Amino acid sequence: MLPHEVPPGVDWVTLPNGIRTLAYTHPHTGPAVEAEPARESIPRWAKTTALLAPTLGGGIAAAGFGISYAAPGLIAMTEALWATVALIAAGTLVPLALRTRRGGGRGAGPVQHITQNINATGMFGRATGTLNNR
């Protein structure tokens, strides 16, 4: 083969036993220069967490201050709500107590007793019954 017929990437090489032959080769680059080691970038989740941590802490601190300033008002509201509950209970229980005391003495009439007897025979038998008013 003539030198101008050799395709790119093919070159004459000498094998360990001394025979010269054509073989595919890698392109020659200059002497190996040790490059600076690549820096590992910080993962996105780590950046996000690092940015959220002070924000979350600041929010919790602000909530604590807000609750400490609002505590006296919350205690006053609690007392007002208990007073409202007591007023509603008094407005409901007093009329009920008066109604039961008034109704017992006057002629409410006799108490009715209703007796009902139901009989059925067999598993799918029809039920019959009697109703007695006394």
Side-chain angles (χ1 to χ4, degrees), residues 96-123:
L96 284 176
L98 291 175
R99 187 179 306 157
T100 56
R101 201 178 81 197
R102 266 190 272 159
R106 289 192 227 161
V111 178
Q112 288 188 342
H113 294 283
I114 298 173
T115 306
Q116 188 173 11
N117 297 320
I118 299 173
N119 296 323
T121 57
M123 185 173 205

Side-chain angles (χ1 to χ4, degrees), residues 36-118:
E36 180 181 326
R39 294 183 188 175
E40 293 183 24
S41 64
I42 299 172
R44 174 170 258 156
W45 66 267
K47 290 179 184 177
T48 304
T49 304
L51 292 173
L52 282 178
T55 305
L56 185 63
I60 291 172
F65 282 119
I67 289 173
S68 70
Y69 283 122
L74 292 174
I75 292 170
M77 276 197 314
T78 304
E79 296 297 328
L81 286 173
W82 277 117
T84 305
V85 168
L87 185 66
I88 292 171
T92 304
L93 294 177
V94 170
L96 284 176
L98 291 175
R99 187 179 306 157
T100 56
R101 201 178 81 197
R102 266 190 272 159
R106 289 192 227 161
V111 178
Q112 288 188 342
H113 294 283
I114 298 173
T115 306
Q116 188 173 11
N117 297 320
I118 299 173

